[in-house]
Amino acid sequence: MIEDIITKMQDDKTGGVPIRTVKSFLSKIPSVVTGTDVVQWLMKNLSIEDPVEAIHLGSLIAAQGYIFPISDHVLTMKDDGTFYRFQAPYFWPSNCWEPENTDYAIYLCKRTMQNKARLELADYEAENLARLQRAFARKWEFIFMQAEAQVKIDRKKDKTERKILDSQERAFWDVHRPVPGCVNTTEMDIRKCRRLKNPQKVKKSVYGVTEESQAQSPVHVLSQPIRKTTKEDIRKQITFLNTQIDRHCLKMSKVAESLIAYTEQYMEYDPLITPAEPSNPWISDDVALWDIEMSKEPSQQRVKRWGFSFDEILKDQVGRDQFLRFLESEFSSENLRFWLAVQDLKKQPLQDVAKRVEEIWQEFLAPGAPSAINLDSHSYEITSQNVKDGGRYTFEDAQEHIYKLMKSDSYARFLRSNAYQDLLLAKKKPESEQGRRTSLEKFTRSVGKSLAGKRLTGLMQSS
């Protein structure tokens, strides 16, 4: 109904409100109407006898943003010579979207780029811009680029057209992001009230202005009083603060030390930092490195990496085989075999999953299983329930329990075992033996030369 009234106001053919360009000092004010013209039109075309009622209706229309004053940002109607301008249909409440904080940030950022006295940010807008910049620090570059692109488009328009569009856009944000202390009708959508159970709930925005409250006129009705804080609210706040105090936090120095230690540990395994030996196959034609990695006789560097973490030895096929042999010597190989079987189950085709789940259950978990694993009662109960409707992740809890068991117990003993230590020193022994053989050969040759010299000297003397 309001939009029908505004459409008739702008229709010159049916006697609308006269829209004119007013000359001002050294400038022109385009496309404006006076408050008196609007009030008189309302009284004449809507059969209103009381001017106060016409002013009230005009204020309600202005509060919705359909018409706005160009001199200030208080969306009311005055029965005097105050200049007003009609809002573009693009910004009408029925056509526009629900503006977000990112849209408001782009608008404020664009205002700072235009660098004009009439577009200078007010104090509350500057504060809102600073809050938004902190809130959207990660995506501020994107917001700045959007604002910059819009400024470039605006500069291509005619000066008068650009002036009108700037005022219409600012009026749009006066409706949706009002001056502090003003409450307008857009702060509560009637359609949203029907969906919400508690339409009086107030939601604070990032820039400190409420976005949802009771629909009220900015002039004639005061805003709702703030609810008093209760004892329950204080208790909740105390509980929240105690939780924050007890929360485990790491110092930045500790995090930096861990990161440095991790980097130093894996530095020799990074081909971008340490050149690969014998050569990097990605930048040369030599594939010897790949052959070494695929061989079942791991290098000393590869064996050393097994000691970094339990995951490193599980990722390496040769490392898993060596760890399995160690577990067999301790009669606990069923733990690793179960873990590998569950990993393989996750890759099985869907039609084979149910059969494989039953096989794993019968082998490792069923009563009297030939390779029974040691599970706690909680994990066993969950797994036994999951088996009834088997899937790829039926044994997830049991696998996690076995993983922690191997990591904390068997893996630590493996690193201390003679089997791992022998593998770690396997590449040093041949070098040392070769060194001993080389020194022995040198000693033999030197002794042989000395004996031969003595014999030659004796023969010369005898002759």
Side-chain angles (χ1 to χ4, degrees):
M1 185 179 295
I2 293 177
E3 292 177 3
D4 292 338
I5 295 173
I6 293 297
T7 303
K8 292 178 181 179
M9 277 188 183
Q10 300 180 75
D11 191 357
D12 295 334
K13 297 180 180 180
T14 59
V17 180
I19 301 173
R20 54 184 179 270
T21 299
V22 180
K23 291 184 179 180
S24 180
F25 181 71
L26 298 178
S27 64
K28 294 181 180 180
I29 306 175
S31 303
V32 294
V33 297
T34 63
T36 302
D37 294 337
V38 174
V39 172
Q40 290 179 356
W41 189 95
L42 290 173
M43 294 179 65
K44 178 182 178 181
N45 292 271
L46 300 181
S47 301
I48 300 175
E49 297 180 358
D50 189 357
V52 177
E53 185 179 350
I55 295 173
H56 177 66
L57 178 59
S59 296
L60 293 177
I61 295 174
Q64 293 287 344
Y66 290 99
I67 188 169
F68 59 90
I70 64 172
S71 58
D72 56 35
H73 305 287
V74 181
L75 301 178
T76 58
M77 181 62 62
K78 300 177 182 178
D79 189 7
D80 55 17
T82 303
F83 291 125
Y84 291 84
R85 184 171 287 147
F86 288 103
Q87 182 62 280
Y90 175 77
F91 293 114
W92 284 359
S94 61
N95 296 332
C96 72
W97 66 101
E98 288 189 13
E100 298 178 354
N101 291 336
T102 52
D103 301 320
Y104 187 47
I106 292 172
Y107 163 71
L108 294 178
C109 192
K110 183 172 65 173
R111 286 263 303 278
T112 60
M113 296 178 185
Q114 291 171 333
N115 194 21
K116 295 180 181 178
R118 63 187 175 85
L119 295 174
E120 186 177 359
L121 294 180
D123 292 339
Y124 78 95
E125 291 176 322
E127 294 175 0
N128 293 343
L129 179 62
R131 292 191 187 100
L132 288 166
Q133 189 169 3
R134 290 193 297 269
F136 299 118
R138 295 185 178 180
K139 53 193 302 187
W140 191 253
E141 184 177 358
F142 168 77
I143 292 174
F144 184 84
M145 291 172 60
Q146 290 289 325
E148 197 173 29
Q150 292 185 20
V151 169
K152 290 181 180 179
I153 295 174
D154 291 342
R155 286 173 181 170
K156 297 178 182 180
K157 297 177 182 177
D158 180 69
K159 182 178 180 181
T160 303
E161 181 186 3
R162 188 167 67 246
K163 188 175 182 179
I164 295 173
L165 290 176
D166 288 341
S167 66
Q168 290 173 338
E169 186 177 12
R170 185 160 187 175
F172 170 80
W173 288 111
D174 285 338
V175 173
H176 294 278
R177 300 293 188 270
V179 178
C182 290
V183 181
N184 59 47
T185 54
T186 63
E187 292 184 350
M188 178 52 64
D189 188 357
I190 296 176
R191 291 169 296 181
K192 189 180 292 184
C193 287
R194 295 174 181 175
R195 296 193 300 265
L196 295 177
K197 294 181 179 179
N198 184 13
Q200 304 301 330
K201 185 178 180 181
V202 176
K203 179 181 178 182
K204 292 185 178 180
S205 64
V206 71
Y207 49 84
V209 183
T210 57
E211 291 181 348
E212 295 179 5
S213 63
Q214 188 176 5
Q216 295 169 340
S217 171
V219 172
H220 302 284
V221 185
L222 296 175
S223 59
Q224 289 289 334
I226 301 175
R227 185 176 65 87
K228 293 183 179 180
T229 305
T230 62
K231 292 182 179 180
E232 186 64 26
D233 296 334
I234 298 297
R235 291 193 190 96
K236 290 181 180 179
Q237 188 175 6
I238 293 173
T239 304
F240 172 77
L241 293 176
N242 287 333
T243 304
Q244 296 299 315
I245 293 174
D246 297 337
R247 190 177 62 178
H248 179 66
C249 297
L250 288 176
K251 292 183 178 180
M252 184 57 66
S253 58
K254 297 293 183 182
V255 176
E257 289 176 3
S258 301
L259 181 60
I260 292 172
Y262 178 86
T263 305
E264 291 176 348
Q265 187 179 50
Y266 283 90
M267 184 181 298
E268 60 179 314
Y269 298 93
D270 191 341
L272 296 177
I273 300 176
T274 305
E277 294 181 0
S279 64
N280 191 339
W282 293 106
I283 58 177
S284 66
D285 295 331
D286 187 9
V287 295
L289 178 65
W290 287 343
D291 295 336
I292 293 174
E293 292 295 328
M294 293 297 293
S295 65
K296 294 186 178 181
E297 295 181 0
S299 62
Q300 182 187 5
Q301 187 184 33
R302 188 173 169 186
V303 175
K304 180 182 176 183
R305 187 166 180 169
W306 297 348
F308 291 171
S309 67
F310 187 45
D311 291 326
E312 290 291 343
I313 196 171
L314 291 179
K315 288 190 295 185
D316 194 327
Q317 177 64 45
V318 180
R320 291 199 301 268
D321 294 340
Q322 295 292 336
F323 186 54
L324 182 60
R325 292 193 191 118
F326 171 76
L327 293 178
E328 288 175 348
S329 65
E330 291 195 337
F331 304 100
S332 59
S333 62
E334 66 278 357
N335 291 332
L336 182 58
R337 288 191 287 110
F338 170 76
W339 188 89
L340 294 174
V342 175
Q343 287 294 102
D344 182 67
L345 172 65
K346 297 174 183 179
K347 305 174 186 177
Q348 291 292 322
L350 188 60
Q351 61 269 20
D352 299 336
V353 169
K355 178 182 177 182
R356 186 59 183 146
V357 166
E358 183 62 24
E359 291 176 353
I360 294 175
W361 172 263
Q362 294 297 332
E363 183 178 0
F364 297 102
L365 292 165
S371 302
I373 59 175
N374 186 15
L375 276 185
D376 62 293
S377 58
H378 179 69
S379 299
Y380 185 84
E381 183 179 354
I382 293 176
T383 305
S384 60
Q385 292 295 327
N386 293 341
V387 170
K388 297 177 181 179
D389 185 16
R392 288 194 177 95
Y393 301 95
T394 298
F395 303 101
E396 194 74 15
D397 292 275
Q399 186 188 32
E400 183 179 358
H401 177 80
I402 293 299
Y403 174 88
K404 292 179 180 179
L405 184 64
M406 291 190 296
K407 181 179 179 180
S408 61
D409 186 25
S410 303
Y411 174 66
R413 291 201 305 273
F414 172 74
L415 296 181
R416 297 192 300 266
S417 66
N418 294 331
Y420 178 71
Q421 296 299 327
D422 291 343
L423 287 172
L424 197 60
L425 301 174
K427 295 296 180 182
K428 293 184 179 180
K429 291 181 179 179
E431 295 175 359
S432 59
E433 292 175 359
Q434 184 179 0
R436 288 196 297 270
R437 286 197 300 269
T438 303
S439 59
L440 180 61
E441 291 173 358
K442 290 181 180 179
F443 176 76
T444 305
R445 285 198 296 269
S446 62
V447 172
K449 288 180 180 180
S450 62
L451 291 175
K454 290 180 180 179
R455 290 177 182 174
L456 181 60
T457 303
L459 290 173
M460 291 176 65
Q461 289 178 354
S462 60
S463 62

